[in-house]
Structures are given as C-alpha cells and as structure tokens.
Amino acid sequence: MDKEIGALELNHTWDVVPLPHGKFPIGCKWVYRIKYNPDGSVERYKARLVAKGYTQQEGLDYSETFSPVAKSVSVRVLLCIAAIKGWPLHQLDVNNAFLHGDLEEEVYMSLPQGYHSKGGCSTDARPLVCRLRKSLYGLKQASRQWHAKLSTTITEMGFVQSKSDYALFVHSKGSKFTALLVYVDDILITGNDAQCVADLKALLDVKFGIKDLGTLKYFLGLEVARSDKGITLNQRKYALEVLTDSGMIGCKPMKTPMEQHLRLSKDEGELIDDPSQYRRLIGRLMYLTLTRPDICYAVNRLSQFLSKPRHPHMVAALRVLQYIKGTPGQGLFFSANSDFQLKAFCDADWAGCPDTRRSLTGYCIFLGETLISWRSKKQNTVSRSSAEAEYRSMASTCCEITWLLYLLEDFKIEHSKAALLYCDNKAALHIAANPVFHERTKHIEVDCHLVREKIQAGMIKTFHVRTNLQLADVFTKALGAPAFLDLISRLGLLNLFSPNITYPQPLQDSEAISTAEAALVLRGAVKKIKQRSKPEAVINEGRQTRARRTKEQKKKKGLNDSSNSSISILLRKLLETQILFTMDAFFCIKEFFHFAAPSAVMVCLNTTTLHYCIPYGIGAAATEYIKQFCSTRVSNELGAGNRHGAQVTVGAVMVLVVLEATIVSVALFCCRYVLGYAYGNEPEVVDYVAKMVPLLRLSISVDSLGLQEAVDGCKSGPMSIWEHII
C-alpha cells in the first residue's frame, strides 16, 4: 500500500485541497491481489487504489467514456501479414496505464483509507480531499484519457493512426514499415524496421514505463506459437478453464458442436432454475469464438435465448462443451507460404429462425490460404425468398471485404486484383450482376445493392460454387459429422496438440468379453496379425478357439466366469477412476504409443466415465524410451512454465503402470523426478502424487504376488486402497 501511494504521489496524480463549496467527492477503496510466478509460487502482494466511479455523475464528473480497442480481425490480419513476410512480433505491457491519462474535468476524491494523516489539517471546517489531476483506476473516463495520451505520444514519433481501426498505428519510410496495435495497455509491434521498433520502445519506456515481454507468445488469452511454416493461434488454456469451471472436464467428446437439424425455440422446454449459469457459459463461449469458427454458429444460436434460457438450450450448450473437450487446442493457422488474395464465401439459411422466420447470414473471408474473418448472424428483416436471403448475405460480405481492403491499404499491402466472392445461389448471382427491378427485388433495401456497384467497379468478382463445397455452410446450419469435419478441414483449422483425433466407438454386441476381462487378456506383448478375408466357418472356429484359450487363462489366474467377482469389480473401478483419465493424459499416452509401440492393440473401455481408446501391451522394450521421453517432456513443460503439462505427463505414465506392470520403475522414476526437480514439497503436488501411490503399489503387488493376493491385501492393508477406489 505504501508503494502504491508513493507511485501515485510521484506521478502527481492529485493535489490535497479543501473541498470547495457545492462539490461532492467520490469515494475510493483498496483492491488486493496476489501475483504468482509461472511455477505457482507467490511473486508479490499487490494493492491498488481504485476510485468508486459508479458514484460519478454524467455531465459533472465526466462526459465521454468511449475508448477504441483493437478489433479481433485486425489482430488476425496483423499476424497473417507477419507470418507471410517473416516479420518479428514484439509484445509490450504498460505499467499502471490508466494513471498516465490527464483529466479534463474537475473531479474530487476522498482521502485514501489509512492515509488521512498525510493530508495534514484543514484551516477551516472544510474537509481535505484529493483534487485529481490524472486519471485513476475506476473512473469512467480513465480508459478514454489513457488512449488519448498514448495516441498523442505515438503520433509525435511520426506514426499515422489508421482510419479503419483507430487502435492501429503505422509508420512507413521508403521500404521500411512498422505497425503498432493497441488493446488498452497491451501493445503488439511488428515490421521490418528494427531501428524504429527500438526507438519506439525507448520512447514508451521513458514516457510511461513499459515491460518488454519479448516475442509474442500469449496475448489476451490467445496462445501464439511460431515456426518456419507459419503461426498458430489457439485458446487451449482458456478452453480447459471453461471445461473445468463448468464441470465437464471428464465428459465424453463429440464430433460436432450441435446436433444435426436441431431447431431451438424460445418457448419449448422448461425454464432453468439458474439463468445466470447459462449466461455466464455462453459469454465465455463467445470469447472462445475468437479462434474457433467451428463453434460460431452454435454459440450464435444459443446466445439468442439469454433472457429466458430453457432446458433444451442448456443441453445444447453442454453439447458444445463436449465438442470442445475433443479439440481443446484447435485454432487458426497462418501459413507462411501464402499470398494476399482476398477470397470470400457467403451463404444464408432462409427462414432459419423458427420464432421470427428471419434468415441467417454466414460468411468467411480468407487472405490467401488463411481464414481471417467470419460471421454468423440473424438478418434484420424477413426475406421473401431464398434468393433474397442470399443477396442480403452477399451485401454483408461485401461490406466486410471493403473494410478489409482499406485495412490492407493501411498495412501497405497492394491488392490490385478483384476480391473473389463465392455463392451457391445462382438467382442471387444474377440479381447482383444485372440491374433488374421486379416484384421480387424492388422491396429490397437500397444499401443491399452495393454488391452491384462493387462488381461494376471491379472491386469484387462473383463465382458460383457447389453446395457441398460451400465453406460458409458451417456458419448457417448444424451439419452432420462427415460434412462438418470436411468443411472444418477446408477452413484451415489446426489442432497443434493432437493433429489426428480418434473419437470413441461403442462396443459391438459380438464383443462378449467384458472390459475387465479384456484388460487381463491383453496384458503383455501382442503381435500384429494381418487381416484376411476368411470363410464364416473358419471365423467361427477361430472364435471358439480364442474363447477356450481365454477360459484357460482365466483359470490359471484364479478367475471365475462371474462378472461380479471382486477382481472384476476392482479392475472396473480402476478404469473408472477419474484421478488419472483425462483427455490430456489420453493424448499423452497416445503420443507415447505412437513412437514406442505402433502395433499396440486398441481396446475401447465402455465405462461410465471413460470412453477413450487406451492402448495395451506396451511390453518392456519401450521402457527405456518412455523414461527418456518423459524426462525430456517434463523438462520442456517446466521450462515453459506449464506445471499442468508436467503433471499430465507423469499422470499418463502412471496410467500405463496400472495397465502394464513391467514399467513400474519408469513411473516411480518420473514421480521422484517431478517432486525433486520442480515442486519440492508443495502441498498440492504431494496430494496429487499421494493419490497415485496406491495404484502404483497395487500394480507392484499384482506383478509380484498375483492379482487375487493383491486384492486381499488391499482389503485389509493399512492403505485402505479398496475404500479409496470404491
């Protein structure tokens, strides 16, 4: 608190004066926050003095409050251009940004709590207050004043403020170019003029005091990764937080975000008890659409029922979370080998809203091969035909293309060719190309005919595309899994963490062996058998032989045919334990087996909480590889400050311990490695590993004493593992 007061006084934020007659001071309060290091340790305890801006009166204490911020499309265009041209990306953060804005209004604030003595004593009966000279956090005009001060400082260096996006500033001198994008106090800088970037950093540091965060990696919840092939943009951390907060981290993944042909209405179903939960979930999903166009349509439909959400709406929202569970790391990819040709796809779903019978507009725009802009929105008026709905969709797309052309011009990108616009409705294409007015088009608003003007000016060129190749279909309707996955792949989305996703398949009736028994049968090395077409009699004979061998193996291990045996129950409980089986651990296991045991058998575990294909039969040959792989991966995760990733790596190896007792030493090594190298004796890590130890000891007992003895020992042992699992 003393440091905060000292910084405010050093910045000349206020003057202590007696309160003038007729003036009323606004209050203030302290806000406390704990700052953590990447490894979870406490960095510092922070206190910030905040004004009670909600007590300000409009016209007296403030007038205008609007402050521009960078548009999400501008951020994507900036990253796309930087990827193609190979420009470096720098990130800056301004310290105490709002404290640098100059106030134009006469605002008085009461003295901070605990520091009344610093104001001294008043010579009359009037109380002492703070006359604010500069803006303070909490004031309604604080963000506006800060942006005005920053804009003035940047333009004095020769930067030009863009008219397409007022948060974008560009500097051009010959062949050298520098661009700066501002979002409140977060700044992105790119360009080919290294000297200009260095001068800009030095000036901002002198004026405001900045924190140079180096190369762009994390910006407004967007995770950025760069390689020679391009730049990836995703929100994996945010997606996992949404799943965790909603209690859906252990749900079964789905292939599509919405059921095919689903029509939601505002009057169907019962009202939910807590509408705030639905509104909070939809709000978080809306922010996730910044890098996830695949859920744009579903979120747009669900956001129309925020006033009175019902049970069908909540079920559909949870379906979106199930889809996100399967692809938490999916995002955009900005290719480095691309051009600057604008291409757009537009589509409409005629009378798609069952309540208002209004149509839905959907479009997506590419810069070269990179998706930079998309939209899914209900139209303002009812269309009399599908051609009219498509024509309105073309008009909305033309407006976005026009704005993007202006934005590219600010980036000094020449776009001499006409932008390509693809539509799957021939009637709408004819209306756009020919100046006809008849009973089907004369009622359309005049502004929609800008499509025709842009075509005549040579700015846009229209083409017809087949419906099955219409990429904008994913923004106007709920599609089936094959069509949806095909269009998503054509949009250029990339899952950096799991490029190939295997979705669970239900067990067939012919697979009579239970899950627990199948786990026992498949322990150990498994040879890959080449599949051939055989007669039915040979197949039946082979099934009988395998069943007989299975029965003999069960007798040797002391098993009976009853599915209710204690051994079967124990194995099923192990498989249903949610301590280990998360989607991250599943992908980690899959990565192990992709290199270590390509011929491992995949068995679907049909339990209540686990529906993923877990590989069995790793054998002892891959032990050394997994040991080296795990230690390297843990080191990389810890070096990047990802504690969760390190825990998932160790948890995945411990899953393998339960399934294959031959690598117990590997898991114990990883357990000691993480505890000794990274976390010391932190309580949460000790608790995390303590949950794994009973499973490790059970696996050791199974390997040395036999399964039945291990079960009996767990029932009576001091660890009470039986009670822990049950």
Side-chain angles (χ1 to χ4, degrees), residues 351-401:
C353 179
D355 298 321
T356 62
R357 308 307 297 170
R358 285 190 278 173
S359 306
L360 269 70
T361 292
Y363 65 77
C364 56
I365 303 176
F366 295 81
L367 183 59
E369 303 299 328
T370 302
L371 180 64
I372 58 173
S373 179
W374 60 86
R375 194 174 194 182
S376 177
K377 184 181 179 181
K378 187 163 59 176
Q379 296 180 0
N380 296 327
T381 59
V382 178
S383 298
R384 298 182 62 188
S385 64
S386 60
E388 180 182 341
E390 296 276 359
Y391 190 58
R392 296 182 189 275
S393 177
M394 292 177 65
S396 300
T397 311
C398 285
C399 293
E400 185 72 7
I401 291 176

Coordinates of all heavy atoms in Angstrom, one line a residue, residues 351-401:
A351 N -35.2 -18.4 -43.6 CA -36.1 -18.6 -42.5 C -35.6 -19.6 -41.5 O -36.3 -20.4 -41.0 CB -37.5 -19.1 -43.1
G352 N -34.3 -19.4 -41.2 CA -33.7 -20.4 -40.3 C -34.1 -20.2 -38.8 O -34.0 -21.2 -38.1
C353 N -34.7 -19.1 -38.4 CA -35.1 -18.9 -37.1 C -36.6 -19.3 -37.0 O -37.5 -18.7 -37.6 CB -35.0 -17.4 -36.6 SG -35.6 -17.1 -35.0
P354 N -36.9 -20.3 -36.2 CA -38.3 -20.8 -36.1 C -39.3 -19.8 -35.4 O -40.5 -19.9 -35.6 CB -38.2 -22.1 -35.4 CG -37.0 -22.0 -34.6 CD -36.1 -21.2 -35.3
D355 N -38.7 -18.9 -34.6 CA -39.6 -18.0 -33.9 C -39.9 -16.7 -34.7 O -41.1 -16.3 -34.7 CB -38.9 -17.5 -32.6 CG -38.6 -18.7 -31.7 OD1 -39.5 -19.6 -31.6 OD2 -37.6 -18.8 -31.1
T356 N -38.9 -16.1 -35.4 CA -39.2 -14.9 -36.2 C -39.2 -15.1 -37.7 O -39.6 -14.2 -38.4 CB -38.0 -13.9 -35.8 OG1 -36.8 -14.5 -36.2 CG2 -38.0 -13.6 -34.4
R357 N -38.8 -16.3 -38.1 CA -38.8 -16.7 -39.5 C -37.8 -15.8 -40.3 O -37.9 -15.6 -41.5 CB -40.1 -16.6 -40.2 CG -41.2 -17.4 -39.5 CD -40.8 -18.8 -39.2 NE -40.6 -19.6 -40.5 CZ -40.1 -20.8 -40.6 NH1 -39.6 -21.4 -39.5 NH2 -39.9 -21.4 -41.7
R358 N -36.8 -15.2 -39.6 CA -35.8 -14.5 -40.3 C -34.6 -15.4 -40.7 O -34.4 -16.5 -40.0 CB -35.3 -13.4 -39.4 CG -36.2 -12.2 -39.3 CD -35.6 -11.0 -38.6 NE -35.6 -11.1 -37.2 CZ -35.0 -10.3 -36.3 NH1 -34.3 -9.3 -36.8 NH2 -35.0 -10.5 -35.0
S359 N -33.9 -15.0 -41.7 CA -32.8 -15.9 -42.2 C -31.5 -15.6 -41.5 O -31.4 -14.6 -40.8 CB -32.7 -15.6 -43.7 OG -33.9 -15.8 -44.4
L360 N -30.6 -16.5 -41.7 CA -29.3 -16.4 -41.1 C -28.2 -16.1 -42.1 O -28.2 -16.7 -43.2 CB -28.9 -17.7 -40.3 CG -29.3 -17.7 -38.8 CD1 -30.8 -17.8 -38.7 CD2 -28.6 -18.9 -38.2
T361 N -27.3 -15.2 -41.9 CA -26.2 -14.8 -42.7 C -25.0 -15.5 -42.2 O -24.7 -15.4 -41.0 CB -26.1 -13.3 -42.8 OG1 -27.2 -12.8 -43.5 CG2 -24.8 -13.0 -43.6
G362 N -24.2 -16.0 -43.1 CA -22.9 -16.6 -42.7 C -21.9 -16.4 -43.8 O -22.2 -16.5 -45.0
Y363 N -20.7 -16.0 -43.4 CA -19.6 -15.8 -44.4 C -18.3 -16.0 -43.7 O -18.1 -16.0 -42.5 CB -19.7 -14.4 -45.0 CG -19.4 -13.2 -44.1 CD1 -18.1 -12.9 -43.7 CD2 -20.4 -12.4 -43.7 CE1 -17.9 -11.9 -42.8 CE2 -20.2 -11.4 -42.8 CZ -18.9 -11.1 -42.4 OH -18.7 -10.0 -41.6
C364 N -17.3 -16.3 -44.6 CA -15.9 -16.5 -44.1 C -15.0 -15.9 -45.2 O -15.3 -16.1 -46.4 CB -15.6 -17.9 -43.8 SG -15.8 -19.1 -45.2
I365 N -14.0 -15.2 -44.8 CA -13.1 -14.5 -45.7 C -11.7 -14.9 -45.5 O -11.2 -15.0 -44.3 CB -13.2 -12.9 -45.5 CG1 -14.7 -12.5 -45.7 CG2 -12.3 -12.2 -46.5 CD1 -14.9 -11.0 -45.5
F366 N -10.9 -15.2 -46.5 CA -9.6 -15.7 -46.5 C -8.6 -14.6 -47.1 O -9.0 -14.0 -48.0 CB -9.4 -17.0 -47.3 CG -10.1 -18.2 -46.7 CD1 -11.5 -18.3 -47.0 CD2 -9.5 -19.1 -45.9 CE1 -12.2 -19.4 -46.5 CE2 -10.2 -20.2 -45.4 CZ -11.5 -20.3 -45.7
L367 N -7.5 -14.5 -46.4 CA -6.4 -13.8 -47.0 C -5.3 -14.8 -47.5 O -4.6 -15.3 -46.7 CB -5.8 -12.8 -46.0 CG -4.7 -11.9 -46.5 CD1 -5.2 -11.0 -47.6 CD2 -4.2 -11.0 -45.4
G368 N -5.3 -15.0 -48.8 CA -4.5 -16.1 -49.3 C -5.2 -17.4 -48.8 O -6.3 -17.8 -49.2
E369 N -4.4 -18.2 -48.1 CA -5.0 -19.5 -47.6 C -5.4 -19.4 -46.1 O -5.7 -20.5 -45.5 CB -3.9 -20.6 -47.7 CG -3.4 -20.8 -49.1 CD -4.5 -21.2 -50.1 OE1 -5.4 -21.9 -49.6 OE2 -4.4 -20.8 -51.3
T370 N -5.4 -18.2 -45.5 CA -5.6 -18.1 -44.1 C -7.0 -17.5 -43.8 O -7.3 -16.4 -44.4 CB -4.5 -17.2 -43.5 OG1 -3.2 -17.8 -43.7 CG2 -4.7 -17.1 -42.0
L371 N -7.7 -18.1 -42.9 CA -9.0 -17.5 -42.5 C -8.8 -16.4 -41.6 O -8.2 -16.5 -40.5 CB -9.8 -18.6 -41.9 CG -11.2 -18.3 -41.4 CD1 -12.1 -17.9 -42.5 CD2 -11.9 -19.4 -40.6
I372 N -9.3 -15.2 -41.9 CA -9.1 -14.0 -41.1 C -10.4 -13.4 -40.6 O -10.4 -12.7 -39.6 CB -8.3 -12.9 -41.9 CG1 -9.1 -12.5 -43.1 CG2 -6.9 -13.4 -42.2 CD1 -8.5 -11.3 -43.9
S373 N -11.5 -13.7 -41.2 CA -12.8 -13.1 -40.8 C -13.9 -14.0 -41.0 O -14.0 -14.7 -42.1 CB -13.0 -11.7 -41.5 OG -14.3 -11.2 -41.1
W374 N -14.9 -14.1 -40.1 CA -16.1 -14.9 -40.3 C -17.2 -14.3 -39.5 O -17.0 -13.5 -38.6 CB -15.8 -16.4 -39.9 CG -15.4 -16.5 -38.5 CD1 -16.2 -16.7 -37.4 CD2 -14.0 -16.5 -38.0 NE1 -15.4 -16.8 -36.2 CE2 -14.1 -16.7 -36.6 CE3 -12.8 -16.4 -38.6 CZ2 -13.0 -16.7 -35.8 CZ3 -11.7 -16.5 -37.8 CH2 -11.8 -16.6 -36.4
R375 N -18.4 -14.8 -39.8 CA -19.6 -14.2 -39.1 C -20.8 -15.2 -39.3 O -21.0 -15.8 -40.3 CB -19.9 -12.8 -39.6 CG -20.9 -12.1 -38.6 CD -21.1 -10.7 -39.1 NE -21.7 -9.9 -38.1 CZ -22.0 -8.6 -38.2 NH1 -21.8 -8.0 -39.3 NH2 -22.6 -7.9 -37.2
S376 N -21.6 -15.2 -38.2 CA -22.9 -15.9 -38.3 C -23.9 -15.1 -37.5 O -23.8 -14.9 -36.3 CB -22.7 -17.3 -37.6 OG -24.0 -18.0 -37.6
K377 N -24.8 -14.5 -38.3 CA -25.8 -13.5 -37.6 C -27.1 -13.6 -38.3 O -27.2 -13.9 -39.5 CB -25.2 -12.1 -37.8 CG -26.0 -11.1 -37.1 CD -25.4 -9.7 -37.3 CE -26.3 -8.6 -36.7 NZ -25.8 -7.2 -36.9
K378 N -28.1 -13.4 -37.5 CA -29.5 -13.4 -38.0 C -29.8 -12.1 -38.7 O -29.4 -11.0 -38.2 CB -30.5 -13.6 -36.8 CG -31.9 -13.8 -37.3 CD -32.8 -14.4 -36.2 CE -32.8 -13.5 -34.9 NZ -33.7 -14.1 -33.9
Q379 N -30.4 -12.1 -39.8 CA -30.7 -10.9 -40.6 C -31.8 -10.1 -39.9 O -32.6 -10.5 -39.1 CB -31.2 -11.3 -42.0 CG -30.1 -12.0 -42.8 CD -30.6 -12.4 -44.2 OE1 -31.7 -12.1 -44.6 NE2 -29.7 -13.0 -45.0
N380 N -31.8 -8.8 -40.3 CA -32.7 -7.8 -39.6 C -34.1 -7.9 -40.1 O -35.0 -7.6 -39.3 CB -32.2 -6.4 -39.9 CG -30.8 -6.1 -39.3 OD1 -30.5 -6.7 -38.3 ND2 -30.0 -5.3 -40.0
T381 N -34.4 -8.4 -41.3 CA -35.7 -8.4 -41.8 C -36.0 -9.8 -42.3 O -35.1 -10.6 -42.6 CB -36.0 -7.4 -42.9 OG1 -35.0 -7.7 -44.0 CG2 -35.8 -6.0 -42.4
V382 N -37.3 -10.1 -42.6 CA -37.7 -11.4 -43.1 C -37.6 -11.3 -44.7 O -38.0 -10.3 -45.3 CB -39.2 -11.7 -42.8 CG1 -39.7 -13.0 -43.4 CG2 -39.3 -11.7 -41.2
S383 N -37.0 -12.3 -45.2 CA -36.8 -12.4 -46.7 C -37.9 -13.2 -47.3 O -38.4 -14.2 -46.7 CB -35.5 -13.1 -47.0 OG -34.4 -12.3 -46.5
R384 N -38.4 -12.8 -48.5 CA -39.5 -13.5 -49.1 C -39.1 -14.7 -49.9 O -39.9 -15.5 -50.3 CB -40.2 -12.5 -50.1 CG -40.8 -11.3 -49.4 CD -41.5 -10.4 -50.3 NE -42.6 -11.1 -51.0 CZ -43.3 -10.5 -52.0 NH1 -43.0 -9.3 -52.5 NH2 -44.3 -11.2 -52.6
S385 N -37.8 -14.8 -50.2 CA -37.3 -16.0 -50.9 C -35.8 -16.3 -50.5 O -35.2 -15.4 -49.9 CB -37.3 -15.7 -52.4 OG -36.5 -14.6 -52.8
S386 N -35.4 -17.4 -50.9 CA -34.0 -17.8 -50.6 C -33.0 -16.9 -51.3 O -31.9 -16.6 -50.9 CB -33.8 -19.3 -50.9 OG -34.0 -19.5 -52.3
A387 N -33.4 -16.5 -52.6 CA -32.5 -15.7 -53.3 C -32.3 -14.3 -52.6 O -31.2 -13.8 -52.6 CB -33.1 -15.5 -54.7
E388 N -33.4 -13.8 -52.1 CA -33.3 -12.5 -51.4 C -32.4 -12.7 -50.1 O -31.6 -11.8 -49.8 CB -34.7 -12.1 -50.9 CG -34.7 -10.7 -50.2 CD -36.1 -10.3 -49.8 OE1 -37.1 -10.8 -50.4 OE2 -36.2 -9.5 -48.8
A389 N -32.5 -13.8 -49.4 CA -31.7 -14.0 -48.2 C -30.2 -14.1 -48.6 O -29.4 -13.6 -48.0 CB -32.2 -15.3 -47.5
E390 N -30.0 -14.8 -49.7 CA -28.6 -15.0 -50.2 C -28.0 -13.6 -50.6 O -26.8 -13.3 -50.4 CB -28.5 -16.0 -51.3 CG -28.9 -17.4 -51.0 CD -27.7 -18.2 -50.4 OE1 -26.6 -17.6 -50.3 OE2 -27.9 -19.3 -50.0
Y391 N -28.9 -12.8 -51.3 CA -28.4 -11.5 -51.7 C -28.1 -10.6 -50.6 O -27.1 -9.8 -50.6 CB -29.6 -10.8 -52.6 CG -29.1 -9.6 -53.3 CD1 -28.1 -9.6 -54.2 CD2 -29.8 -8.4 -53.1 CE1 -27.7 -8.5 -54.9 CE2 -29.4 -7.3 -53.8 CZ -28.4 -7.3 -54.7 OH -28.0 -6.2 -55.4
R392 N -28.9 -10.6 -49.5 CA -28.5 -9.9 -48.3 C -27.2 -10.4 -47.7 O -26.4 -9.6 -47.2 CB -29.6 -10.0 -47.3 CG -31.0 -9.3 -47.7 CD -32.0 -9.5 -46.6 NE -33.3 -9.1 -47.1 CZ -33.8 -7.8 -47.1 NH1 -33.0 -6.8 -46.7 NH2 -35.0 -7.6 -47.5
S393 N -27.0 -11.7 -47.7 CA -25.7 -12.2 -47.2 C -24.5 -11.7 -48.0 O -23.5 -11.4 -47.5 CB -25.8 -13.7 -47.2 OG -24.6 -14.3 -46.8
M394 N -24.7 -11.6 -49.4 CA -23.7 -11.1 -50.2 C -23.4 -9.6 -49.9 O -22.2 -9.2 -49.9 CB -24.1 -11.2 -51.7 CG -24.2 -12.7 -52.2 SD -24.7 -12.7 -53.9 CE -23.4 -11.9 -54.8
A395 N -24.4 -8.9 -49.6 CA -24.2 -7.5 -49.2 C -23.4 -7.3 -47.9 O -22.5 -6.5 -47.9 CB -25.6 -6.8 -49.1
S396 N -23.7 -8.1 -46.9 CA -22.9 -8.1 -45.7 C -21.5 -8.5 -45.9 O -20.5 -7.9 -45.4 CB -23.5 -9.0 -44.6 OG -24.9 -8.6 -44.4
T397 N -21.2 -9.5 -46.8 CA -19.9 -9.9 -47.1 C -19.1 -8.8 -47.8 O -17.9 -8.6 -47.6 CB -19.9 -11.2 -47.9 OG1 -20.8 -12.2 -47.3 CG2 -18.5 -11.8 -48.0
C398 N -19.8 -8.1 -48.7 CA -19.1 -7.0 -49.5 C -18.7 -5.9 -48.6 O -17.6 -5.3 -48.8 CB -20.1 -6.5 -50.6 SG -20.3 -7.6 -52.0
C399 N -19.5 -5.6 -47.5 CA -19.1 -4.6 -46.6 C -17.8 -5.0 -45.8 O -16.9 -4.1 -45.7 CB -20.3 -4.3 -45.6 SG -21.7 -3.6 -46.3
E400 N -17.8 -6.2 -45.4 CA -16.6 -6.7 -44.7 C -15.3 -6.7 -45.7 O -14.2 -6.3 -45.2 CB -16.8 -8.1 -44.2 CG -15.7 -8.7 -43.3 CD -15.6 -8.0 -42.0 OE1 -16.5 -7.2 -41.6 OE2 -14.6 -8.3 -41.2
I401 N -15.5 -7.1 -46.9 CA -14.4 -7.1 -47.9 C -13.9 -5.7 -48.1 O -12.7 -5.4 -48.2 CB -14.9 -7.7 -49.2 CG1 -15.1 -9.2 -49.0 CG2 -13.8 -7.5 -50.3 CD1 -15.6 -9.9 -50.2

